[in-house]
Amino acid sequence: LPPGLEIRRIRPSDRAALERLSTVTWQHQVQAPCWGIHLPERQAQHRKDYGDLVDDDEATVWLALLDGEPVGLQGY
């Protein structure tokens, strides 16, 4: 791995990091060529849903950190 990069399963303490990363996918998908829809009134629930992944026993989520800062995630 590159220096400073860590990839690990999420922990309960990662809730805030997941909430911050909740915007990454939809901000990309609303642009061309996708033109997806993300309603502003849905944002608060969307953010909470990402944070709640730390409590979901059926979800497997990996978090990437660069120098301790969250930079990506992958969920299954």
Side-chain angles (χ1 to χ4, degrees), residues 15 19 22 43-53:
R15 181 180 298 275
E19 290 176 352
S22 71
Q43 182 53 36
Q45 184 63 48
H46 185 81
R47 185 175 173 90
K48 181 183 179 307
D49 291 345
Y50 264 65
D52 287 347
L53 288 170

Side-chain angles (χ1 to χ4, degrees), residues 59-70:
T60 300
V61 182
W62 294 88
L63 182 64
L65 302 109
L66 183 59
D67 297 326
E69 291 298 315

Side-chain angles (χ1 to χ4, degrees), residues 20-37:
R20 283 194 307 275
L21 290 170
S22 71
T23 63
V24 173
T25 301
W26 74 258
Q27 286 180 341
H28 175 76
Q29 295 294 330
V30 297
Q31 300 176 46
C34 297
W35 302 114
I37 295 174

